[in-house]
Amino acid sequence: MIEIRKSRERGYADHGWLRSYHSFSFADYYDPEHMGFGHLRVINEDRIQPGTGFGTHGHRDMEIISYVLEGALAHKDSMGNGSTIVPGDVQRMSAGKGVQHSEFNHSADAVTHFLQIWIEPDVTGIPPSYEQKHFDNASKKGKLRLVASPDGREGSVRIHQDACLYAGLLDRADRATHAMAPGRRAYIYVARGELTLNGQAMEAGDAAKATGPAEIVLENGKEAEVLLFDLA
C-alpha cells in the first residue's frame, strides 16, 4: 500500500528568521496521526533567512542528518567540529550522550534551504560523533544513490539504526527503482520538482508511506530531487 501526504497538509511555523514545514509532529505542531514512521522521527524543511540561524542548543540520543538544497549552512559543535554544508553534502551528527551545536546562514542576501532529518538510534548513551560527505550530482542523476546506512557501505555516512537513506535526481526519461525486502517499508520525500511514484503524481513537499509493494518505481521526473528511506 502507498499512502501519499500532500505538501499542504504538513505543519508550518513562521518565526520570521525561520520558516519551517514539519512532516511529523514537532515543537508546537502536534498531530497524533503523524508522529513519525518507523524510526524516522523528523523531517523539517527549513528556510533560514540571511544572517540568522539556530543558536547553540543541545541534543541527546538522536541521529541528525542535514541535507542542504540551496545556500550554505555553517555548523559548529561541542566536539570541536566546524564546517559549512552546501548542496550535495550529507552531514550526520550522532548526539549520543549529549552534544551542543549551532547552525547559521552567514550569507548577506541568500536564504539557506535545507532538510533537517532525525532518526531514532538503536543504541543510546554513546559518545557523540560527526561525519560529513559530499555526493555530486552525477552520482545521483537518474538513480537512487545510497547516502546513509548502518554500515557506511558504498561511501555513505554511517548511522546507528537499521535504516538506509537514498538520494536521487530525476528528470524527463529517468527511471529509478528500489526493491523492497520482505517486512521492510519505505518513506519517500520529494524535496523539489515533480515525479510519479508507482504511477501516482507527487510534487515538492509531498511524501509517501510505502508498505507492501515489492518495488518502488520513480519516473516522469521534472527537475526532481527525491529522498527514499528504507526502514525496518
Side-chain angles (χ1 to χ4, degrees), residues 2 5 14 30 53 60 66 76 84 111 154 157 166 176 182 187 199 212 216:
I2 294 177
R5 188 184 189 207
D14 187 345
Y30 175 72
R60 289 182 62 89
S66 295
K76 288 185 178 180
T84 299
V111 171
E154 299 177 23
V157 301
Y166 298 82
Y187 192 86
I216 301 295

Side-chain angles (χ1 to χ4, degrees), residues 206-223:
D206 291 354
K209 298 175 181 178
T211 54
E215 186 177 55
I216 301 295
V217 180
L218 302 168
E219 56 190 341
N220 302 315
K222 295 180 181 178
E223 299 181 346

